Amino acid sequence: MQIKREDLTKEYSNIFFHFDFSQRMELEYDHKSYELTDHTQLPELIEHSKAKGDYQISKIANNILAVYETEHQMETYSHTPVMIHMELSSFCDCECMMCKHCYEKNSDAQYLSRDKFHELKQYFAACRIVMINGYGEPFIHPQISEIISIFETYQVKIFTTTNLQHLPMDSLPKINKVFARMNVSCDGACAETYESIRRGASFAKFIKNLTILRENCPDVQLFMSVVAMRQNIEEAVSLVRMAKELGFEEIRFGRLGSNLFLGNEKDELIYYPNFAGRELERAKQEGERIGIRVVTPVIMQNNVIDCKKAEREREQIHEEPFYKGDKYYEGLAEKYKELKESHLFEPHLYSTEGAISCEGLCHWIGFGLYVNSSGKVRPCSEIPYNRGQEKREERIDHNYEELKTFRKKFISGEVPRVCMDCAFIMSDEIGCLKVNLREYKNYFLEKAGAGREE
């Protein structure tokens, strides 16, 4: 079967698609015929189209090759990353109460270097999506306008998460053209809640910058991201209404991952499953009523709600004060500094031991590449730093041994334990991976001491 260029670009506009390699499909390109279902011909097509600056074709051909190699459970890839997640900045302009920045205070922060960014450029011509967020705030990177221009040149679509306390005004036209999706963090429906959780942020500035963005960048999809916790769960419905009023297309409630050093375990909603489940269900119903998509953590979905327990849990939520003062965080920062100087606060090693069963492959392990702000390749942004990895010198390589170890684990039918807090699994956005949701829920139920769901 012969396929036209315009049909190819239209049919395979998304990253995750089914491609029938048993049916011949030919593309006539620049006076030469390429068999798209023959994976051995795809590298030549990729290089040919890259040389011509025809990035639409190079990106799709690379994507097709990625589908072939992941479906055939290869561990070493000839395709280059279809998606790149780069942490432009581990500096942040806020010290949110649930984040390590509230005690690290940018002590180890850095920007992705110009050299490492340019090393990544080798992948841009065949890469379809780049995410530029991470542990820090991307829009405070000193070269953010230049970086956006480079992405525009290579026709890369950008995803990011931002607190929107900064907005590069000189790049608004390019943002409208290049950014496909922007997740804007907002954890409160009023200034008091928002500014108490996002310490150092201004609710008024958030609203002002959002208004500017909406007026100047109408083509950018805006999603509101909420870290759902004890402190804001009672505002869930109000947050949905606010998201609709502010022009967001979607609001997603993510799960808080607690930090023992912060002492915030009881802020996790898994300790209040009935009340939190009820409030999140009300939020979803309100979203349906007013016309905005609401995404909630999968472990909070389709649960049987005990109304009496929900009311008791509402009371438990208020047993301790919601917020700790500046003095607490100042003390925490001093303690962190002491522990770090004593080498008692180093990144820990992690294991790829299996936790629950699955089918398929995590899309970041199969299609993606993650590079942190120090220029180190890691399996993905959701996995903690590995002390051994951070010490070794390396070039940017999407086939290094640690990545192949993760690929083997998923191919064997298991989700590694270190992946269990993954935000993509929690929001059921895992591309070509299927996890056992019952096992997944039980993992967190047992963590909270609530028993198993039969």
Side-chain angles (χ1 to χ4, degrees), residues 368-428:
L369 175 73
Y370 176 76
V371 180
N372 66 17
S373 60
S374 64
K376 301 291 186 180
V377 178
R378 290 164 53 199
C380 85
S381 63
E382 299 288 325
I383 293 175
Y385 288 95
N386 180 315
R387 189 188 305 117
Q389 180 194 356
E390 287 298 293
K391 288 182 178 178
R392 65 180 166 86
E393 291 293 326
E394 65 175 19
R395 61 185 176 83
I396 293 176
D397 180 9
H398 63 291
N399 277 317
Y400 82 102
E401 287 305 313
E402 195 172 12
L403 278 174
K404 291 196 283 187
T405 299
F406 273 86
R407 290 169 192 163
K408 290 176 186 177
K409 179 57 66 173
F410 280 102
I411 289 169
S412 74
E414 292 184 296
V415 175
R417 188 170 300 278
V418 72
C419 299
M420 292 299 284
D421 282 323
C422 173
F424 294 105
I425 298 178
M426 190 63 67
S427 58
D428 198 21

Side-chain angles (χ1 to χ4, degrees), residues 84-281:
I84 296 175
H85 190 169
M86 63 177 72
E87 184 181 54
L88 287 183
S89 168
S90 54
F91 280 97
C92 195
D93 47 357
C94 296
E95 296 177 0
C96 301
M97 60 175 285
M98 64 289 193
C99 178
K100 292 188 294 182
H101 277 295
C102 73
Y103 56 81
E104 289 186 354
K105 296 185 178 294
N106 290 324
S107 58
D108 295 316
Q110 56 191 311
Y111 296 115
L112 184 69
S113 71
R114 185 182 293 269
D115 286 347
K116 281 296 179 182
F117 180 81
H118 284 282
E119 190 178 343
L120 281 163
K121 280 176 66 176
Q122 65 179 298
Y123 297 123
F124 291 173
C127 173
R128 303 188 75 167
I129 289 175
V130 171
M131 294 175 65
I132 60 170
N133 57 285
Y135 180 41
E137 167 56 41
F139 283 146
I140 64 175
H141 192 288
Q143 283 87 44
I144 186 63
S145 295
E146 177 188 342
I147 288 168
I148 292 171
S149 295
I150 292 171
F151 288 139
E152 180 185 30
T153 299
Y154 285 95
Q155 301 171 21
V156 176
K157 288 298 182 182
I158 308 302
F159 285 25
T160 195
T161 297
T162 172
N163 58 34
L164 217 57
Q165 292 297 296
H166 286 77
L167 189 61
M169 300 298 179
D170 59 332
S171 295
L172 288 174
K174 291 180 180 178
I175 287 174
N176 189 51
K177 183 177 179 181
V178 177
F179 280 68
R181 170 169 153 177
M182 196 176 291
N183 299 319
V184 183
S185 300
C186 177
D187 298 319
C190 62
E192 181 182 3
T193 305
Y194 176 92
E195 293 175 1
S196 296
I197 293 174
R198 297 201 156 261
R199 302 171 64 249
S202 162
F203 188 70
K205 188 179 291 185
F206 158 72
I207 296 295
K208 178 184 176 182
N209 285 342
L210 181 64
T211 302
I212 293 170
L213 184 68
R214 186 72 287 172
E215 289 176 352
N216 290 274
C217 306
D219 295 334
V220 179
Q221 289 186 315
L222 291 180
F223 292 0
M224 181 184 285
S225 292
V226 181
V227 181
M229 61 182 81
R230 178 174 70 100
Q231 287 80 357
N232 61 17
I233 186 60
E234 291 174 290
E235 295 184 15
V237 171
S238 297
L239 279 161
V240 170
R241 292 172 183 154
M242 184 177 81
K244 176 66 175 179
E245 290 169 3
L246 293 175
F248 286 92
E249 298 182 36
E250 177 181 291
I251 175 171
R252 49 189 50 230
F253 293 88
R255 170 184 168 267
L256 169 69
S258 61
N259 180 326
L260 292 176
F261 190 67
L262 281 170
N264 64 348
E265 308 89 72
K266 291 299 182 179
D267 290 346
E268 285 197 56
L269 295 182
I270 55 174
Y271 293 99
Y272 320 99
N274 294 281
F275 181 68
R278 187 175 71 184
E279 295 306 296
L280 289 171
E281 182 56 34

Side-chain angles (χ1 to χ4, degrees), residues 60-97:
I60 292 175
N62 186 53
N63 201 155
I64 294 171
L65 183 57
V67 170
Y68 178 87
E69 292 183 336
T70 53
E71 286 186 354
H72 287 76
Q73 300 188 335
M74 294 182 177
E75 295 167 6
T76 301
Y77 298 149
S78 58
H79 75 265
T80 56
V82 179
M83 311 181 296
I84 296 175
H85 190 169
M86 63 177 72
E87 184 181 54
L88 287 183
S89 168
S90 54
F91 280 97
C92 195
D93 47 357
C94 296
E95 296 177 0
C96 301
M97 60 175 285

